[in-house]
Amino acid sequence: GALPATDAAAQKKKLYCWEENGKKVCGDALPAEAAGAKRSEFSTTSGRHTADIAAALTPEQRAPAEMAAAEARIRAEADEARFRREMAMAESYATEADLRDSFQERIDLIDESLKASDLGVIGLRQSLVALLRQAGENELAGKPITPVARDNINTQHAELRRRERIFAQQRVQRASLDEELATVLARYREIKGAGQQRAAENAASGATPPQTGG
């Protein structure tokens, strides 16, 4: 039969243990000041350990915890978006060659930019060397370097450094495009392979495509 009300209440009673000033304190009632503290709970009837309650977060702790949760949510959304892109990619390109062709357009564009940048850097360097040589010859001849010549040298030097930085960035982009293509190809093969495996399993299990009326 059902337990008497007093026995049922006794079954639900708990013993709490928490820390106060570095000392363990236990009691069958939890004081208000310990409500947010880390504690353990035990059954008063069996003495069995029933739960561990973590300490409530302080405002200082809550902000990083909420930020971490938000970052985890953003990562999950990014993973989901990447998965959708990959599935769309697998459906968009019938063959691996088609996928390579789409990347080749981007590769050709960057390669053309690299050639133009390389020629630009070479031309600027040659121009700067010529200006410096002329300035050196003028000094040897006892002629002062004019402010215009000095400005030209400084301007050419700054432009050369700028072009070199652009050229370096383009080389990094070109290398990353090769890496991206390798990654996308590997993923494409995985997705296509999984699709072919499912098709083979369906065929092995006797599944047939629906027949259309003739």
Side-chain angles (χ1 to χ4, degrees):
L3 285 168
T6 51
D7 289 348
Q11 289 280 355
K12 291 180 180 178
K13 286 198 73 173
K14 296 175 184 175
L15 183 68
Y16 305 94
C17 291
W18 66 97
E19 279 195 8
E20 276 184 19
N21 302 320
K23 293 182 180 178
K24 188 175 181 180
V25 181
C26 295
D28 59 3
L30 194 65
E33 59 270 19
K38 180 182 177 183
R39 63 183 184 272
S40 298
E41 296 182 356
F42 302 83
S43 165
T44 54
T45 52
S46 65
R48 198 161 44 86
H49 177 230
T50 56
D52 283 314
I53 310 298
L57 294 178
T58 64
E60 292 78 13
Q61 293 169 325
R62 196 176 299 120
E66 288 172 354
M67 189 179 296
E71 288 173 355
R73 191 164 58 249
I74 290 168
R75 280 196 300 272
E77 289 170 358
D79 288 344
E80 176 64 23
R82 187 176 68 250
F83 175 75
R84 285 197 300 269
R85 284 198 306 272
E86 288 173 347
M87 292 306 295
M89 171 197 70
E91 292 166 2
S92 298
Y93 301 107
T95 67
E96 198 173 293
D98 293 336
L99 178 57
R100 284 181 181 276
D101 286 343
S102 74
F103 263 81
Q104 194 59 46
E105 292 174 11
R106 293 165 62 192
I107 289 171
D108 290 343
L109 193 63
I110 291 183
D111 283 347
E112 287 301 315
S113 298
L114 278 168
K115 286 177 188 174
S117 293
D118 191 22
L119 289 173
V121 166
I122 290 170
L124 272 171
R125 190 174 286 129
Q126 289 172 343
S127 176
L128 181 59
V129 167
L131 287 172
L132 290 169
R133 184 182 293 122
Q134 183 62 52
E137 288 174 356
N138 285 344
E139 275 198 322
L140 286 173
K143 298 176 184 177
I145 300 175
T146 65
V148 172
R150 187 175 289 108
D151 285 347
N152 280 343
I153 289 171
N154 290 337
T155 301
Q156 290 269 33
H157 191 264
E159 181 62 14
L160 176 61
R161 288 287 171 264
R162 188 182 76 83
R163 294 282 188 94
E164 285 175 338
R165 284 196 299 271
I166 292 172
F167 191 34
Q169 289 167 358
Q170 288 172 332
R171 287 200 300 269
V172 170
Q173 287 175 348
R174 181 64 178 83
S176 68
L177 193 55
D178 282 339
E179 292 171 6
E180 185 184 347
L181 175 58
T183 301
V184 168
L185 276 173
R187 188 71 185 121
Y188 179 83
R189 289 165 187 157
E190 284 177 18
I191 294 170
K192 286 293 186 183
Q196 290 168 357
Q197 185 177 350
R198 280 197 299 273
E201 288 170 354
N202 289 340
S205 65
T208 56
Q211 298 295 317
T212 56

